[in-house]
Amino acid sequence: MSFKKGLLFLLIVTLIFGVVGCGKNDTPAQSSGDQDSDKKVTLSVTAAWAEGNSMLYGMDDFAQKVSEKTNGTVEVVWGGGPEAIPTYQLVEALRNGIIDIAWTSHTYNVSHVPVMEAMKLTDAEKLRETGGFDFVRELYKDKLNAHYIAATTNGLTYNLYTKNEVNELEDFDGLTIRATPAYQAFVEALGAGVVNTAPGEAYQALERNVIQGYGWPSVGVKDFGWQEVSKYIIQPAFYNVDVCIMMSDKAWSKLSESQQQAIMEAGKEVEAASNEYYVKAIADENDVLKAEGMEELTLTPEVADAYYKLAYEKGWESALKTDPENANKLKELSE
C-alpha cells in the first residue's frame, strides 16, 4: 500500500471510530439531562450601585453558588454599576433584555410595576411562606419580561438619625430631614420638612444645620462620616431595604431547566443568609457610631408603637392609592 493510500485508509478508520465513539458518549448525556450537557453561559451583573457598595452584599456568594450548582456551566461576572447604565435606567434595560442580571431595588422598578414600592413593607421569608414570592415573580414576568430571583437585603432596616433629641412624635415638628421617596411620606406625617438632597451633600447640610436629620439604612452611616455631625440613632427601626436580584427573560431563556433551577436555589440561599448577616452588621455599625459619640435614643413603648404604626400606615397608603388591586393582594400575603 502506498503512503498516500495508507494515510487515506487510516483517516477513514479514525473518522469511523470517532463517530461511533461520539455517538456512544453523547447519547446517555442527552437522554439523562445531566448538567454536563448544559451549554456554558456567562451572565453579567449590572448594578444600581458602584462596585464595592454595601448594597451589593451577597454578590460574590451568589456567583460562587451559581457556578457550583451548575458544575461550572454558568458564570456570573461583574458588568458595571451606574457608570455603565444609570441607576434609574436599569429597569428599561432589564425589560428590553439589554442586560442579563440587574442587582437593583424593587423601588427602582415602580415605573413599570407600581406596587413594588410596597416591597419595603414586606419580609422576604414571610412572602415565600405565603405564596407572595410567586405573586411578585408573576407580576415581574408579566409587566417587565423579567424573573425575580431573590431579595438580598432582607433584615436590613431603615432608621432616622437626628441632631436633636426626640422623645415624642411632636418633637419632629419643625425639623428638616433628608429623605428619599422610600420613606418621605412617613417623615412628612411626623411633621418634619423633607429635603431630597444627594447623600454626598448631606454632611455639609448637617454641619450648617440646613437639615437636622436624615433617614438611611441601618448600615452605612459611617461610610459618609455622618456620625461626626449628628447625635441620635432613633429606635425603633422600620421597613426593609428592598435590594433584589432580577434577570431578563432574554438571559433566562438561554439557560437549561437545570441551570434555571440552580440560579433560583443560589438566590434563595443568599436571601436566607442575609437576615443573620444584617443582625450582626447593624449591631456592629451601631457600636462604631456610639463609640464615636452618637447615642441610641429608644422611644418609649407607647411612642414607639405610634411611630412604627404611622410608618406602615403611610407606606401602604401610598401603594394602595397607586395600585389598589395588587397592593391589597401583596398586603394580604404579607400578613
Side-chain angles (χ1 to χ4, degrees):
M1 184 184 293
S2 69
F3 175 76
K4 286 185 179 180
K5 287 182 179 179
L7 186 60
L8 180 59
F9 175 77
L10 181 61
L11 180 59
I12 291 170
V13 170
T14 303
L15 285 172
I16 290 170
F17 280 96
V19 169
V20 171
C22 287
K24 287 180 180 178
N25 289 332
D26 285 349
T27 303
Q30 289 170 352
S31 62
S32 69
D34 191 273
Q35 283 187 330
D36 289 341
S37 65
D38 289 339
K39 292 180 181 177
K40 289 198 172 183
V41 180
T42 299
L43 302 172
S44 65
V45 179
T46 309
W49 302 274
E51 191 172 12
N53 189 284
S54 59
M55 293 298 103
L56 303 184
Y57 161 77
M59 185 179 287
D60 290 342
D61 283 348
F62 177 69
Q64 184 177 342
K65 287 176 183 295
V66 168
S67 179
E68 290 171 355
K69 292 175 183 295
T70 62
N71 291 336
T73 61
V74 178
E75 183 182 12
V76 176
V77 299
W78 174 249
E83 77 286 352
I85 297 177
T87 297
Y88 290 99
Q89 293 177 25
L90 264 182
V91 63
E92 203 54 51
L94 185 68
R95 186 175 75 88
N96 292 322
I98 295 170
I99 60 176
D100 298 327
I101 299 173
W103 204 282
T104 185
S105 165
H106 290 291
T107 304
Y108 298 153
N109 299 330
V110 296
S111 58
H112 292 277
V113 196
V115 72
M116 291 307 152
E117 81 166 277
M119 286 299 284
K120 64 179 180 280
L121 309 171
T122 68
D123 175 78
E125 187 177 353
K126 181 72 173 179
L127 288 183
R128 286 188 183 269
E129 291 172 0
T130 63
F133 178 86
D134 294 329
F135 171 69
V136 171
R137 190 166 162 78
E138 285 302 316
L139 281 176
Y140 271 131
K141 284 169 66 177
D142 183 46
K143 306 289 186 183
L144 204 58
N145 302 324
H147 298 262
Y148 175 35
I149 307 300
T152 63
T153 50
N154 197 50
L156 176 58
T157 50
Y158 290 96
N159 282 92
L160 294 183
Y161 304 80
T162 64
K163 297 176 68 174
N164 305 52
E165 187 171 348
V166 172
N167 295 301
E168 305 287 341
L169 299 193
E170 292 75 19
D171 293 338
F172 285 98
D173 245 350
L175 299 184
T176 302
I177 306 289
R178 184 261 174 201
T180 71
Y183 45 89
Q184 178 170 331
F186 169 47
V187 172
E188 289 174 336
L190 289 169
V194 168
V195 171
N196 296 122
T197 183
E201 299 171 3
Y203 187 101
Q204 192 174 66
L206 286 160
E207 195 173 35
R208 295 181 176 180
N209 207 38
V210 173
I211 60 175
Q212 293 79 47
Y214 50 94
W216 197 253
S218 305
V219 170
V221 167
K222 60 185 175 59
D223 295 343
F224 294 92
W226 292 335
Q227 72 275 15
E228 299 170 4
V229 284
S230 55
K231 182 70 175 174
Y232 300 103
I233 307 163
I234 309 299
Q235 299 290 8
F238 57 94
Y239 299 167
N240 260 312
V241 177
D242 62 348
V243 177
C244 58
I245 309 171
M246 306 287 301
M247 184 179 292
S248 70
D249 189 59
K250 183 179 178 181
W252 183 260
S253 64
K254 295 177 183 176
L255 306 175
S256 70
E257 189 175 334
S258 63
Q259 289 171 328
Q260 291 170 352
Q261 183 180 349
I263 282 175
M264 295 304 296
E265 288 174 359
K268 188 175 182 179
E269 289 178 13
V270 169
E271 179 178 289
S274 69
N275 259 315
E276 183 178 350
Y277 171 81
Y278 280 113
V279 167
K280 185 177 187 307
I282 291 169
D284 290 347
E285 168 105 354
N286 286 346
D287 284 346
V288 170
L289 298 183
K290 287 185 286 185
E292 296 192 22
M294 293 193 77
E295 297 177 22
E296 277 193 275
L297 198 163
T298 302
L299 301 174
T300 63
E302 184 179 356
V303 176
D305 187 53
Y307 177 86
Y308 196 77
K309 280 183 178 177
L310 185 62
Y312 282 83
E313 281 173 10
K314 289 300 171 182
W316 283 114
E317 183 181 291
S318 178
L320 287 163
K321 188 182 298 182
T322 306
D323 186 352
E325 182 181 351
N326 287 319
N328 270 309
K329 180 67 175 174
L330 185 60
K331 188 177 183 184
E332 178 188 326
L333 292 167
S334 303
E335 294 171 347

